[in-house]
Amino acid sequence: MKELILILISAALVNNVVLSQFLGLCPFLGVSKQVKTAASMGMAVIFVITISSAVASLIYDFILVKLKLEYLQTIVFILVIAALVQLVEMFLKKTSPGLYQALGVYLPLITTNCAVLGVVLQNVQKEYLFAQRGWNALASSVMNGFGTAVGFTIAIVIMAGIRERIAYNDIPKPFQGAPIVLLTACLMAIAFFGFSGLI
Amino acid sequence: MNKYAERLYNGIVKENPTFILMLGMCPTLAVTTSAFNGLGMGLSTMVVLVVSNLLISALRNIIPDKVRIPAYIVVVASLVTIVQLLIQAYIPVLYDALGLYIPLIVVNCIILGRAEAYASKNSPGLSVFDGLGMGFGFSIALTCIGFFRELIGAGTLLSGTPFAMSLPEAYEPVSIFVLAPGAFLVLALIIAFLNAMNIQHNGNKKVEGCDGNCASCGQSQGCTDAKN
């Protein structure tokens, strides 16, 4: 249990997916103009990454490793993620139209969010493998995925909050648009450095 | 200018994927801790981009319209796996430095974006040159960011290559530049510098490109539709 909590904190804060690993930057820069949309994006990412960590781990452990096809992991994982996003979308549309409405266009966009593929590949790299550690490995994978997605949500919501405020500021012309957003991200990354002593 | 040279110019200057279109941000910021790593990432991406443009353009009349995105993804993922195995075998230093980011070339929005916006509509020859132009533009941008981060953050120049040099002992490296925040800072300053040059050049004309607001990054639709 203690190990799982450590994984969660490390994935969410210490190794924040956006600010220290540079994954999922496109939605982080693109969908962070308003807190509300940023929060929906975060929810959608939590949903998809948690499920895909579980599914991809199972497929890796019970199909790819068994057949000695580990080198096909990239191709298999990206297809699994793409199919999964579609499935989640259809499932939500039928079962909870409210949530589906809230997540809206952000669900399909997640297919190409590199954070999803990144987490799944990381789970393999960190050797959360069934062969070595049994069901614990699966729990670790899911926890790592969930923590990463929570970290993404924290980062994007804070970013959106800041951007809502700087929208009315007088920014020097050359810094308008992308540069000021990147500078904000830079300051946030420095702030998140503070978490590095946590574990 | 003939249309092949125009593709090169377009990729390197006019629609530079990093500085103007702001595509493929993840590898741009993550691996540019030195000029060598940046160049390695840029060239690997370029190889994938050129070959995927060629294949997708050649197959553009065979792939059914409805399943084109999954088909593109499979083509790109296969190419990335090949490149990954080649780097692992022949340039292990680079493989260790780039790590997770090599398989992540699959989801680099530049590649899917070019497949969707250009290769699926044009002849294989032109598509290859489009890939070359975009690839060079990306490599130059990454090398440039890596160069500054390495120079300021580690006090070395071109380490990892035969031309390695380092600054005098008296220079105290500002290590934050090779850490995560430095990546954001250097990219922000470079883009602001280019904007300032542009403003001086064109009066107050707004800088072209999607302004970092490419919500559908990689999905390619948003970016490419706005551009076409």
Side-chain angles (χ1 to χ4, degrees):
Chain A
M1 198 59 216
K2 193 177 149 212
E3 192 203 7
L4 289 184
I5 293 172
L6 280 181
I7 291 177
L8 178 70
I9 294 175
S10 138
L13 296 175
V14 181
N15 294 313
N16 187 284
V17 62
V18 181
L19 297 168
S20 83
Q21 301 186 58
F22 301 112
L23 297 176
L25 274 174
C26 298
F28 177 71
L29 299 174
V31 201
S32 58
K33 280 207 162 153
Q34 285 171 334
V35 173
K36 222 181 126 201
T37 48
S40 323
M41 184 72 191
M43 288 305 293
V45 168
I46 291 182
F47 215 77
V48 171
I49 290 192
T50 312
I51 298 176
S52 59
S53 320
V55 174
S57 290
L58 287 175
I59 288 183
Y60 187 82
D61 287 335
F62 292 107
I63 300 180
L64 293 186
V65 174
K66 288 268 149 66
L67 298 177
K68 298 203 165 52
L69 286 176
E70 288 95 334
Y71 60 90
L72 284 181
Q73 48 169 303
T74 314
I75 305 176
V76 171
F77 287 164
I78 187 79
L79 288 177
V80 167
I81 292 168
L84 203 69
V85 171
Q86 292 277 312
L87 265 181
V88 169
E89 199 184 347
M90 286 191 282
F91 181 75
L92 282 185
K93 207 171 176 180
K94 280 271 184 249
T95 54
S96 73
L99 187 59
Y100 179 75
Q101 285 286 324
L103 300 183
V105 293
Y106 301 113
L107 257 182
L109 288 184
I110 293 175
T111 314
T112 46
N113 183 336
C114 46
V116 185
L117 186 60
V119 170
V120 170
L121 287 169
Q122 243 177 25
N123 286 338
V124 173
Q125 255 179 19
K126 284 189 181 166
E127 302 195 325
Y128 297 151
L129 299 177
F130 189 80
Q132 294 165 10
R133 300 169 42 196
W135 293 110
N136 255 345
L138 188 69
S140 305
S141 296
V142 173
M143 210 42 148
N144 188 35
F146 179 70
T148 307
V150 169
F152 177 84
T153 310
I154 294 174
I156 198 173
V157 169
I158 295 179
M159 182 62 153
I162 299 176
R163 277 182 81 172
E164 277 185 359
R165 279 169 184 70
I166 58 176
Y168 302 106
N169 289 2
D170 187 20
I171 299 160
K173 263 229 165 67
F175 278 92
Q176 282 172 11
I180 190 73
V181 179
L182 289 169
L183 279 183
T184 313
C186 166
L187 295 177
M188 281 173 67
I190 294 176
F192 268 73
F193 252 13
F195 289 119
S196 56
L198 208 58
I199 289 186
Chain B
M1 207 175 348
N2 80 36
K3 54 187 180 178
Y4 291 98
E6 189 271 331
R7 285 329 301 168
L8 289 181
Y9 174 75
N10 182 59
I12 297 172
V13 182
K14 213 170 105 212
E15 291 186 4
N16 185 296
T18 306
F19 295 140
I20 312 284
L21 298 182
M22 304 266 306
L23 291 175
M25 282 292 111
C26 307
T28 306
L29 295 174
V31 301
T32 50
T33 46
S34 74
F36 177 69
N37 288 353
L39 186 65
M41 187 68 199
L43 292 182
S44 326
T45 310
M46 183 166 89
V47 171
V48 175
L49 185 57
V50 170
V51 183
S52 80
N53 262 5
L54 174 69
L55 287 179
I56 286 166
S57 170
L59 293 171
R60 69 186 187 281
N61 296 324
I62 302 171
I63 298 175
D65 210 34
K66 273 187 187 153
V67 293
R68 62 182 197 287
I69 301 285
Y72 298 162
I73 291 182
V74 175
V75 170
V76 176
S78 319
L79 291 171
V80 168
T81 306
I82 295 171
V83 168
Q84 183 184 0
L85 294 176
L86 285 176
I87 296 181
Q88 193 175 8
Y90 293 106
I91 327 175
V93 187
L94 191 64
Y95 185 81
D96 291 337
L98 300 184
L100 186 63
Y101 295 92
I102 301 176
L104 285 177
I105 297 176
V106 181
V107 278
N108 188 324
C109 4
I110 301 172
I111 295 174
L112 268 188
R114 291 329 283 175
E116 170 76 10
Y118 198 84
S120 61
K121 301 186 186 94
N122 290 286
S123 69
L126 275 175
S127 301
V128 166
F129 273 84
D130 183 68
L132 276 176
M134 284 286 161
F136 270 124
F138 189 60
S139 307
I140 292 171
L142 258 62
T143 314
C144 180
I145 299 173
F147 176 83
F148 285 118
R149 284 182 69 188
E150 188 188 345
L151 181 66
I152 305 173
T156 56
L157 270 180
L158 307 173
S159 66
T161 67
F163 313 104
M165 277 177 280
S166 59
L167 292 181
E169 284 282 301
Y171 178 75
E172 185 76 40
V174 190
S175 57
I176 198 145
F177 274 84
V178 284
L179 298 173
F184 288 113
L185 184 61
V186 169
L187 185 63
L189 293 180
I190 293 180
I191 294 180
F193 174 73
L194 292 177
N195 282 354
M197 300 293 284
N198 233 351
I199 292 168
Q200 231 170 29
H201 231 60
N202 307 336
N204 281 339
K205 220 176 87 187
K206 192 137 183 11
V207 187
E208 273 181 52
C210 58
D211 213 24
N213 300 325
C214 189
S216 48
C217 174
Q219 198 68 7
S220 77
Q221 240 91 13
C223 255
T224 50
D225 283 353
K227 294 213 63 65
N228 292 336

